[in-house]
Amino acid sequence: MQSLPALLDARVRDVTGVDPEMRPATKPQFGHFQSNVALRLAKQEGRPPREVAASIVEKLDVSDLCEPLEIAGPGFINFRIRADVLAHSATALLEDPNRGLNRSEQPQRVVIDYSAPNVAKQMHVGHLRSTIIGDCFHRVLKALGHEVIPQNHIGDWGRQFGMLVEQILDEDLDPSTLDLASAEALYQRANAHLKADEEFATRSRDRVVKLQAGDDETLRIWQQLIDVSLAGFNATYDRMNVLLTNEHLAGESTYNDDLPRVCDDLESRGIAVVDDGALVVFVPGFNAPAIIRNQRGGYGYATTDLAAIRRRVGELDADRIIYVVGAPQTFHFEQVFAVARMAGYLPEGVTAEHVGFGQVLGADGKKFSTREGTAVSLNVLLDMAEAEAAPNVALAAIKYADLSSGLQKDYTFDAERMVQTTGDTGPYLQYAHARVCQILRRAEAEGYGYGAVTVLDEPAEQTLALLLSRFGEIVDEVAVTLQPHKLCGYLYDLAGALAHFYEVCPVLKSEGEVRSSRLALCAATKLVLGTGLDLLGIDAPERM
Ligand code: ARG
């Protein structure tokens, strides 16, 4: 659905040829929106502003949307949307099978690379953010009719497996008895061992060669490490109520066979060159080349990502690829995208976007870490929030805190604040939803029916209806800009407008058509709050 403000904006733009810079009116008597476009044009043209305003008003035909326009003060134009238009739009929302969302006319195939934890390590706060943010994009794009292909690029390959396997053999451990925490402890023992013992280090290197050569025993232990890790990841995904499943797994090892091919391809076409024994790509504008095969013949993180792009475009047929990975990897992705463009793996019609995000800070404002200085595991964060509130509320608190400020910003993990049902929090929105559900339940119990929104005399009702009409446009914006805080801010405003509406407009205590219209407005608001929360991956409870 087209939002009423957007519709109006476009009309004024047509007549004036410039951005009307519509602002919400500061007082109800000024209508709903105000534009200073006449003042700006008057300055340019050297004419009296009120005269310019009058000529704009004369040319502008918005009588199907607005009350007669007013010119105020030095030459502002005031717009008041007609109550019947607002009512009609709220009713249309209530009847819309798409819940106010604009299904895309050109559905795309969108790969979203998110979560991506590493085998034999617990998920940490970076993976928490990636999982929450990526899942929100997943929900938003899917709801708009795009084909979403999640790819969980887990770290399941690399030199670390040499020492892990050796340590397991040294300790005579049965890897299937491990869980993620004990696998991580094993990782740390192996690492310490590696540093202290030259002979172990040599064996670990040899073990990497065996793994790469497909040695049976080595592969078996490697696979067991993956299995125990996946069990841990999946338990966390369940806990987080995200859409990721095993079906979306495409770990680094998936691309093993492609790595030499990518190198050969790039070398044979002269895109990659041997430099100091390594195969590298010099990318214009980057101060260091991308290393795709090191001096010892090993392939790295960048090579794997090039192979992944090639498949995502070639086999998965992606039109858009979104990477949700922490901001420290910005350089890596910019360089990989540039190489992929040079090589034609990323053709012009396909977009690749890295959505970086900031860190999670502790209450002390410093990077969140344990007393020992290691990264805090994701489950510990979930535990902390659950110590303050019920699981679905705790989760709402975390997800909302993660999504509601600009993604690039760091945010402070303050469990006590995040679970409050007042202020700009997830639980506040859940509460707003539960409260409107309660009113509708009571109305039903009293036998009060409702159908359409018909009466919208009060400014508080009109504000609510106006906001409701903007829902589709806000979600479209998130799909394009990948900025979920826009949706969070919108829902927060909507919950605020709803609270104000209750204050000044009795619902159950009103009568007749006013009551049924208010109930319908409540139902439309419930619909938008519920849908919006769902797009954020937050449960919208009917009771709280
Ligand atoms: N496993 C990596 C990490 O924990 C993230 C992988 C992100 N995705 C990618 N295609 N590189 O940092």
Side-chain angles (χ1 to χ4, degrees):
M1 283 197 318
Q2 172 81 281
S3 98
L4 295 172
L7 217 62
L8 189 57
D9 188 282
R11 297 273 187 92
V12 184
R13 207 180 277 261
D14 272 353
V15 165
T16 60
V18 295
D19 180 356
E21 296 181 14
M22 296 282 214
R23 297 275 175 269
T26 47
K27 291 199 180 117
Q29 60 264 36
F30 298 152
H32 297 126
F33 298 99
Q34 193 164 58
S35 168
N36 65 0
V37 65
L39 298 164
R40 281 181 284 129
L41 289 178
K43 205 169 200 176
Q44 274 175 28
E45 296 165 12
R47 289 167 55 199
R50 285 190 70 100
E51 195 183 299
V52 175
S55 69
I56 293 174
V57 166
E58 204 187 280
K59 280 187 230 140
L60 195 60
D61 182 12
V62 289
S63 55
D64 57 330
L65 296 175
C66 296
E67 301 285 348
L69 303 180
E70 280 169 15
I71 298 168
F76 291 106
I77 307 176
N78 292 349
F79 300 85
R80 184 188 301 276
I81 311 249
R82 277 168 33 192
D84 62 313
V85 172
L86 285 170
H88 180 78
S89 120
T91 303
L93 179 66
L94 207 49
E95 291 164 355
D96 181 5
N98 291 323
R99 299 172 298 165
L101 300 171
N102 304 314
R103 302 278 295 183
S104 171
E105 275 154 30
Q106 283 138 348
Q108 290 190 309
R109 290 177 65 83
V110 187
V111 164
I112 311 180
D113 182 318
Y114 71 103
S115 196
N118 301 310
V119 166
K121 283 190 180 173
Q122 302 213 55
M123 294 176 77
H124 58 67
V125 291
H127 301 120
L128 171 89
R129 294 211 72 184
S130 173
T131 307
I132 292 173
I133 297 164
D135 210 60
C136 171
F137 296 161
H138 183 164
R139 289 164 192 268
V140 167
L141 291 165
K142 195 169 139 188
L144 299 187
H146 299 288
E147 183 80 45
V148 176
I149 309 160
Q151 293 283 283
N152 195 353
H153 194 88
I154 61 169
D156 63 356
W157 197 253
R159 306 190 60 74
Q160 70 276 22
F161 287 97
M163 66 171 195
L164 284 167
V165 171
E166 278 306 310
Q167 189 68 26
I168 285 172
L169 293 171
D170 271 24
E171 293 183 14
D172 200 16
L173 255 179
D174 174 2
S176 67
T177 62
L178 293 169
D179 62 10
L180 207 42
S182 52
E184 179 157 330
L186 171 83
Y187 195 107
Q188 277 150 10
R189 290 198 300 283
N191 216 0
H193 197 172
L194 192 83
K195 285 189 186 129
D197 183 344
E198 192 51 47
E199 183 262 343
F200 180 78
T202 310
R203 273 198 280 133
S204 297
R205 278 196 293 276
D206 293 345
R207 186 58 69 178
V208 176
V209 177
K210 281 189 182 157
L211 178 65
Q212 286 166 342
D215 170 65
D216 278 347
E217 185 189 31
T218 312
L219 276 183
R220 188 178 50 80
I221 300 174
W222 167 75
Q223 186 61 52
Q224 280 175 314
L225 282 170
I226 293 179
D227 293 344
V228 297
S229 303
L230 283 180
F233 301 156
N234 284 331
T236 304
Y237 294 149
D238 271 354
R239 215 178 154 186
M240 291 177 71
N241 187 23
V242 291
L243 304 173
L244 278 179
T245 65
N246 283 345
E247 190 196 328
H248 308 129
L249 282 172
E252 294 181 12
S253 69
T254 318
Y255 305 101
N256 283 348
D257 295 345
D258 293 351
L259 304 179
R261 292 186 200 138
V262 165
C263 288
D264 289 348
D265 177 45
L266 294 179
E267 191 174 11
S268 70
R269 290 194 285 142
I271 294 166
V273 293
V274 176
D275 185 59
D276 213 4
L279 189 63
V280 305
V281 180
F282 287 96
V283 191
F286 287 80
N287 54 17
I291 299 174
I292 58 170
R293 194 179 63 219
N294 66 25
Q295 287 120 322
R296 293 187 311 274
Y299 308 104
Y301 190 53
T303 326
T304 308
D305 264 321
L306 283 171
I309 291 187
R310 215 163 132 255
R311 285 224 210 162
R312 288 167 183 183
V313 174
E315 282 171 30
L316 301 179
D317 205 15
D319 301 304
R320 181 181 190 186
I321 313 177
I322 299 168
Y323 293 80
V324 189
V325 189
Q329 296 193 28
T330 304
F331 180 87
H332 163 75
F333 283 109
E334 282 177 357
Q335 194 169 45
V336 164
F337 296 164
V339 174
R341 292 263 179 234
M342 287 165 70
Y345 297 163
L346 202 52
E348 225 171 275
V350 182
T351 51
E353 294 152 275
H354 169 230
V355 180
F357 49 80
Q359 289 180 342
V360 181
L361 307 177
D364 56 0
K366 297 208 182 95
K367 186 177 164 175
F368 214 116
S369 55
T370 60
R371 207 169 301 164
E372 297 76 42
T374 53
V376 174
S377 88
L378 194 159
N379 282 306
V380 170
L381 289 185
L382 292 172
D383 292 342
M384 284 170 69
E386 283 186 14
E388 307 283 340
N392 73 328
V393 175
L395 198 54
I398 295 185
K399 288 189 177 181
Y400 191 81
D402 215 303
L403 297 168
S404 59
S405 52
L407 298 182
Q408 270 67 28
K409 285 191 224 158
D410 296 342
Y411 82 89
T412 302
F413 193 93
D414 177 350
E416 215 180 301
R417 185 197 65 80
M418 284 159 39
V419 301
Q420 298 298 319
T421 47
T422 53
D424 191 8
T425 67
Y428 167 67
L429 295 181
Q430 286 184 312
Y431 177 73
H433 182 264
R435 190 171 169 204
V436 78
C437 286
Q438 184 189 36
I439 291 178
L440 293 167
R441 262 196 316 272
R442 280 203 193 142
E444 204 186 329
E446 303 284 330
Y448 301 156
Y450 61 86
V453 178
T454 49
V455 195
L456 285 179
D457 294 337
E458 294 298 325
E461 295 171 313
Q462 298 192 356
T463 306
L464 196 52
L466 252 182
L467 264 176
L468 289 174
S469 90
R470 295 197 57 200
F471 180 52
E473 159 195 315
I474 298 289
V475 177
D476 288 348
E477 194 183 339
V478 175
V480 173
T481 63
L482 303 177
Q483 294 180 323
H485 73 273
K486 298 264 165 72
L487 178 56
C488 296
Y490 166 81
L491 294 173
Y492 179 65
D493 289 346
L494 184 64
L498 180 65
H500 179 61
F501 159 78
Y502 293 145
E503 247 170 64
V504 295
C505 302
V507 180
L508 296 173
K509 290 206 176 90
S510 58
E511 297 285 328
E513 194 181 341
V514 171
R515 183 175 59 213
S516 74
S517 177
R518 285 181 182 168
L519 281 171
L521 192 59
C522 283
T525 310
K526 172 195 151 172
L527 177 83
V528 168
L529 275 175
T531 307
L533 283 170
D534 185 50
L535 294 177
L536 298 175
I538 297 176
D539 166 53
E542 304 252 322
R543 286 187 163 82
M544 238 169 121

